Amino acid sequence: MTAPDTPVPLPPGLDILWGRRPAGRRGPRPGLSVESIVSAAVAVADRDGLESLSMARVAAEVGFTTMSLYRYVANKDELLQLMWDASAEGAEELVIEGDTWRDRLRTWSGIQRDVLAQHPWLTQMPMAAPPMAPNSLTFVERGLETMDGTGLADVDKLRIIGLISSYTLSEARMANDAARARPEGVESPSFESFLRLLLDEERFPRLYGIAWSEPSSPRSDHEDFLFGLDRILDGVAALIGDR
């Protein structure tokens, strides 16, 4: 068991972000840095998806050999940690607009959804542990700030942030997966059109009724996202009332 006063070693990647990694023995290459490598990696992933990312691709992007990158980044897993944190850059300067906790938390959630839309590869990232990088934790801090004055316990605020983040990531992942599976320039058939093709009224009376109901204007992914988000916020409002 680790003694209470024994420093816990940070996982690779986090030690760079928190400034805890000792300087290496090999000297730097002029024009190359952790920042430039991460920026190039984000550009590759934004353009071609996470499956196209490799140390060799990033090296070609910055105009250096692959071995040169290993002076700054140990491996691809470490690079992914750095990229995740880079996606939340600027969290300290965010303006979280809104006159009420609900408006502010809705704005914060929308910002998170926009980042996922800007960097779809984030939905493909493994999530084995909560984000612990500086920018990511700053964004969490800003989310907690939206609930100041609500009377909620701090642990409940953190649970709410986790719930909204999980929902937002799930919605973004489904939208990204659908977009990746759809041929470019081809519009996907509606859910209702598939139901009409597959269902009979006796076995699926409720779904059948939905499929053959009067057509309404199709909802966008963003509208569907806001519908679910508002139901979560309804629950938060009820929790505040209980407190």
Side-chain angles (χ1 to χ4, degrees), residues 179-219:
R180 284 156 53 86
R182 183 171 58 245
E184 188 173 352
V186 176
E187 186 175 348
S188 294
S190 68
F191 178 60
E192 289 79 5
S193 66
F194 279 117
L195 294 184
R196 292 172 186 173
L197 178 66
L198 299 171
L199 303 186
D200 65 82
E201 186 174 8
E202 183 176 349
R203 184 178 180 185
F204 302 99
R206 295 163 189 83
L207 285 170
Y208 186 90
I210 292 172
W212 291 98
S213 61
E214 287 295 324
S216 58
S217 56
R219 295 190 307 269

Side-chain angles (χ1 to χ4, degrees), residues 33-145:
S33 64
V34 171
E35 291 76 14
S36 64
I37 292 170
V38 173
S39 179
V42 169
V44 170
D46 283 348
R47 186 174 62 241
D48 302 320
L50 199 63
E51 65 276 7
S52 299
L53 184 72
S54 67
M55 299 296 279
R57 282 289 303 276
V58 176
E61 189 83 5
V62 294
F64 283 86
T65 65
T66 304
M67 289 305 299
S68 298
L69 270 58
Y70 290 111
R71 300 186 181 190
Y72 301 85
V73 180
N75 50 46
K76 182 179 175 180
D77 287 341
E78 184 170 288
L79 180 59
L80 292 175
Q81 283 267 17
L82 301 174
M83 292 168 63
W84 181 279
D85 190 60
S87 71
E89 190 172 349
E92 291 182 1
E93 291 77 35
L94 285 175
V95 177
I96 311 293
E97 298 179 342
D99 296 327
T100 67
W101 69 264
R102 183 175 184 129
D103 292 338
R104 291 189 293 273
L105 191 51
R106 203 173 192 261
T107 298
W108 178 86
S109 306
I111 292 171
Q112 187 176 41
R113 183 65 183 86
D114 289 343
V115 169
L116 291 168
Q118 183 181 358
H119 304 296
W121 50 268
L122 285 168
T123 67
Q124 302 170 260
M125 292 275 282
M127 287 292 291
M132 295 295 293
N135 289 332
S136 301
L137 289 182
T138 298
F139 189 69
V140 170
E141 178 73 20
R142 299 302 308 277
L144 295 170
E145 178 187 319

